[in-house]
Amino acid sequence: MKTQFERMMDGLNDVEAFLAGEQEGFKAHVPQDVDVKAIRNRLGMTQARFSDTFGFSLDAVKHWEGGRRIPEASARTLLTVIDRNPAAVLTALKPAAFAAAVGSSKPATVHFKSEKKRQASRRATRRKAYSAGVK
């Protein structure tokens, strides 16, 4: 069994060979375990919104989070990118939503507001309108 240092050196040797033109392509590391619920919670999304936003079926998200199914390698890869850079995925999947940010000098920032916060905000607005006598 190789030590971690030996595995790192093998990887560096592969990169060196690739850059020198001696080797084509590379092998991507796909994580074995992905915590879908943690990713979704960090984004402040419901299961339904997460599935709609990133193109997963709602049932798949429920099964992954419940431990009844494990995402396939392609889904684990996408989930890893979503975890590390959700804006990149959203830009790729929904370019029109980020078209305005491309022309600006500021980098695009993605903010997610959870459904609970949105509902609480709506209730507060309704209470203010009701107490002001507006119906």
Side-chain angles (χ1 to χ4, degrees), residues 47-124:
Q47 288 178 332
R49 185 163 180 217
F50 185 80
S51 67
D52 287 344
T53 301
F54 296 109
F56 301 115
S57 75
L58 180 57
D59 284 341
V61 172
K62 288 179 179 181
H63 287 298
W64 294 339
E65 290 186 9
R68 292 179 296 279
R69 280 184 16 204
I70 297 172
E72 292 186 20
S74 57
R76 289 193 313 267
T77 300
L78 178 57
L79 287 162
T80 301
V81 176
I82 291 168
D83 186 26
R84 294 187 183 158
N85 192 350
V89 177
L90 290 171
T91 301
L93 295 176
K94 300 177 183 180
F98 292 94
V102 172
S104 72
S105 60
K106 295 194 306 189
T109 305
V110 179
H111 297 281
F112 295 101
K113 190 172 184 181
S114 73
E115 193 61 32
K116 288 180 184 178
K117 288 180 183 177
R118 194 172 284 138
Q119 289 171 352
S121 176
R122 287 181 191 141
R123 284 193 297 270

Side-chain angles (χ1 to χ4, degrees), residues 3-20:
T3 66
Q4 183 156 351
F5 175 76
E6 290 170 328
R7 288 193 306 264
M8 287 174 44
M9 284 307 299
D10 286 346
L12 289 173
N13 291 335
D14 289 344
V15 169
E16 194 172 68
F18 175 75
L19 292 174

